[in-house]
Amino acid sequence: MRKRTIALAAAALAAAAPAPARAEATVQRVDVPSFDGTRLGGWVIKPAGARGKLPAILISTPYFGQCVKVSSLGRGPCWPTPETPADWAEHPEPVEFLVESGYAVGWFSVRGTGVSGGCWDDMGRREQRDQRVLVEWLASRPWSSGRVGAMGLSAMSATALGAAVERPRALKTIVVSGVNADLYTFNFSPQGLAAGWTLLGSEATYGTDISHVPPGLLRPDPALTVAQAPHQHERACPEVARTMTAPLGGAVTGHRDAGFYEERDMTRRYGRIRASVLIAQGLQDLWQSGHMMQEDAMWSLLRAPKAMYVGQWAHTYPWQSGHSWSPSREDLKAEWLELLRSWLDHHLRKGPKPSILGRARFEDDSRRWHESRAWPPHEARDEALYLAPSGGLTPEPPAAPGAQTFRAYPQAERVTLPRAFLCPAWLDPVEGPGSLVYMTRPVTKRTVIAGNPMAYLDLTADQAGGGLQVTLHDVAPDFTCGNDPARRSPAGARKLTVGGADLRFHHGGYDARPFGGGHVRVDIANLATVLEPGDRLAITVSYGDPIEFAEVGHAPRITVHSGPRADSSQLVVPVLEGGFGGREPKTRFPPRP
């Protein structure tokens, strides 16, 4: 195996800090046989000249050798192999910082991708078992202290969690962000509506966003396309290829492989994890992404030592430099890197206890920080706001029964605009409104909402199924619909968060059932947002935005019923400060699927 010495730039902890001294590091190309003999290829990066045994950080990724820019999305970086610091800078994991801090890094391709053999298992048990093998291999190296951590963003969070649920004794901690722990709720909302970006942008194009490029093509020409690489699909395991190539057909026909998805639901095994877990989650990782509800139940399900750091960033770590797909938060750089260092040092070097251990720190969208013993925060109280036929969102149920009907049909690009949601008459009046709007009175004092809202809707439909999206908006006093279709950004309104339900799958199972009417729970992605005095909270019920949720193949007319009952259609809002004058929900809701 070949070794060479390279220059490694030490990470600066503050933006204004002077340029740090350069440290030496070694990179070694390695191959590790897995439990079934499959070759797992990767690199070990170590500080050169380090004295004593080193703790190690495992990063397992499907992205080496892959160019996102050649996918159907037409944008994004190339992900080269990690042989130079310039290559490392193209990846979200802070490898330079880790090595500068005295950690060895084991960076591997998951099976079926990059430089590893086998077929891509997409979060399956073979991929999970591979992570145990890699942890144990790193722990057994002559240079190793025997204490290993795992770290990852997005797909790499899935492999870190895969290592944790396999419970190797050498694994002491994991750090995850942009969490992906359950492939079903990555592809679908908890109530079964297909996530548009996930299916349309990745799996439906046969996984071109994953590095199925054979090892001999590890630095592909940027012009590479699926047609020019016809053997990409041969690297996916048969059950993965089958699921990826017919996701939209499955969304329409109701074919969803229960066994496939249950194997890839690591939340079922969270109680087994004994390594500590640091979760960093961006509250702007909401739309066009299957990550938007992945971390919701982590705190309550994990029994191991844990902490959460939650704030207003997108699909990244709390600080990440310069990647165009998600702007960096330079203001968080020093704090996050110091927090990360203290967390790893405590669990891998037995350093002082980090202040965040056992706590959840979260940032609202005014950049104000809060702290709780849980996420979602225990301090938030649920307020029930009832949907009224008049379009109000009121603390008390309406005095008389009523109903409103909308047509769940595509609005092309217009449905993606705030105006289309909040101003139904702006849509095609012939087919009927494409959304229903319900709005609170203006709040009288600063109101902070933090946690997971939920809609509980009493519905009927004129067809057996259909999909709907529930969207929350902050509506400022100067909001106006107007009548100019060319005005694409109405002033005074912002979209906060979304949820969706497929009426055939709202029960949470894998088999479609005809919808005969009744109550539908819609879980809405978490948030920490501030409404200023005079603002109103609005909820829209509409056809699924094709950017956020995929078309479900038919377009029913859906009626939302409201009335004086305690279980009438309502929005449940977790209020941390201020409020809307609502009371705790009086009805017992069905559990989240």
Side-chain angles (χ1 to χ4, degrees), residues 161 178-182 185 188-191 267 270 279-283 285-286 290-302 306 308 310 360 374-378 450-454 497-499 521-528 574 592-593:
L161 286 161
V179 175
N180 188 11
D182 175 10
T185 54
F188 307 96
S189 75
Q191 286 76 32
T267 65
Y270 274 172
I279 307 140
Q281 190 68 20
L283 291 171
D285 196 353
L286 292 177
H291 298 274
M292 62 186 180
M293 293 185 182
Q294 292 286 308
E295 84 293 354
D296 292 356
M298 291 190 78
W299 191 276
S300 61
L301 293 175
L302 288 168
K306 57 200 172 188
M308 288 193 75
V310 180
W375 178 263
H378 287 325
N452 302 108
M454 181 191 72
T497 181
V498 299
R521 170 174 174 158
V522 182
D523 285 277
I524 301 172
N526 63 21
L527 76 167
R592 171 172 167 169

Side-chain angles (χ1 to χ4, degrees), residues 552-575:
V552 295
H554 51 282
R557 294 185 186 274
I558 298 175
T559 300
V560 178
H561 300 275
S562 53
R565 305 183 316 276
D567 65 349
S568 180
S569 294
Q570 60 196 269
L571 173 69
V572 179
V573 185
V575 176

Side-chain angles (χ1 to χ4, degrees), residues 73-94:
L73 300 179
R75 61 179 183 273
C78 287
W79 300 74
T81 54
E83 297 185 358
T84 70
D87 292 341
W88 306 346
E90 294 296 325
H91 298 269
E93 278 63 43

Side-chain angles (χ1 to χ4, degrees), residues 176-198:
V176 292
S177 186
V179 175
N180 188 11
D182 175 10
L183 192 60
Y184 185 82
T185 54
F186 182 78
N187 285 343
F188 307 96
S189 75
Q191 286 76 32
L193 190 58
W197 183 90
T198 302

Side-chain angles (χ1 to χ4, degrees), residues 98-441:
L98 294 172
V99 177
E100 185 270 340
S101 298
Y103 290 93
V105 175
W107 219 353
F108 287 85
S109 296
V110 302
R111 64 169 56 214
T113 73
V115 294
S116 288
C119 62
W120 183 50
D121 201 26
D122 196 8
M123 295 176 59
R125 287 302 298 275
R126 285 166 292 196
E127 185 176 292
Q128 295 168 30
R129 292 178 68 185
D130 288 342
Q131 308 317 308
R132 180 187 185 103
V133 170
L134 292 173
V135 167
E136 292 172 340
W137 184 85
L138 287 169
S140 68
R141 298 302 91 195
W143 49 261
S144 175
S145 69
R147 301 178 72 85
V148 179
M151 185 172 186
L153 168 74
S154 195
M156 290 76 87
S157 74
T159 54
L161 286 161
V165 298
E166 287 293 310
R167 307 181 77 213
R169 290 194 174 276
L171 185 69
K172 304 304 179 183
T173 191
I174 67 171
V175 180
V176 292
S177 186
V179 175
N180 188 11
D182 175 10
L183 192 60
Y184 185 82
T185 54
F186 182 78
N187 285 343
F188 307 96
S189 75
Q191 286 76 32
L193 190 58
W197 183 90
T198 302
L199 295 175
L200 293 171
S202 183
E203 279 82 353
T205 58
Y206 217 40
T208 57
D209 289 347
I210 301 296
S211 174
H212 300 310
V213 182
L217 297 176
L218 261 179
R219 292 180 183 270
D221 187 299
L224 180 68
T225 65
V226 176
Q228 292 170 307
H231 300 294
Q232 285 193 19
H233 68 279
E234 295 179 4
R235 303 203 72 193
C237 298
E239 64 273 25
V240 174
R242 183 172 60 250
T243 303
M244 287 199 312
T245 51
L248 297 181
V252 172
T253 66
H255 169 70
R256 296 181 186 176
D257 187 333
F260 178 87
Y261 283 114
E262 287 171 354
E263 179 180 319
R264 290 159 175 80
D265 180 6
M266 286 179 280
T267 65
R268 297 168 182 259
R269 303 168 68 198
Y270 274 172
R272 289 175 44 85
I273 293 176
R274 58 189 172 198
S276 65
V277 183
L278 173 59
I279 307 140
Q281 190 68 20
L283 291 171
Q284 301 306 317
D285 196 353
L286 292 177
W287 314 308
Q288 306 179 35
S289 164
H291 298 274
M292 62 186 180
M293 293 185 182
Q294 292 286 308
E295 84 293 354
D296 292 356
M298 291 190 78
W299 191 276
S300 61
L301 293 175
L302 288 168
R303 299 174 185 171
K306 57 200 172 188
M308 288 193 75
Y309 191 70
V310 180
Q312 305 298 323
W313 51 86
H315 191 50
T316 66
Y317 291 106
W319 167 78
Q320 185 171 314
S321 61
H323 292 290
S324 61
W325 70 86
S326 186
S328 62
R329 285 286 304 276
E330 284 288 332
D331 59 308
L332 294 179
K333 180 177 179 179
E335 179 176 324
W336 164 245
L337 291 180
E338 187 55 41
L339 188 158
L340 176 61
R341 191 202 301 273
S342 67
W343 183 270
L344 294 175
D345 285 351
H346 174 68
H347 294 287
L348 299 179
R349 289 192 174 117
K350 300 184 179 180
K353 177 180 174 181
S355 61
I356 199 174
L357 187 63
R359 299 178 182 273
R361 292 180 188 163
F362 62 97
E363 178 193 36
D364 64 37
D365 54 13
S366 71
R367 301 287 176 92
R368 175 185 172 194
W369 285 87
H370 310 258
E371 190 166 279
S372 176
R373 292 285 184 179
W375 178 263
H378 287 325
E379 295 84 354
R381 67 185 188 279
D382 284 340
E383 287 193 21
L385 298 173
Y386 291 88
L387 281 59
S390 62
L393 197 56
T394 63
E396 299 293 338
Q404 288 183 291
T405 300
F406 72 99
R407 176 73 180 273
Y409 70 106
Q411 298 290 334
E413 66 173 11
R414 302 175 78 186
V415 79
T416 68
L417 306 179
R419 180 192 303 277
F421 286 114
L422 292 168
C423 306
W426 188 69
L427 299 173
D428 187 347
V430 176
E431 294 287 348
S435 66
L436 302 178
V437 183
Y438 304 88
M439 203 172 299
T440 66
R441 292 180 179 275

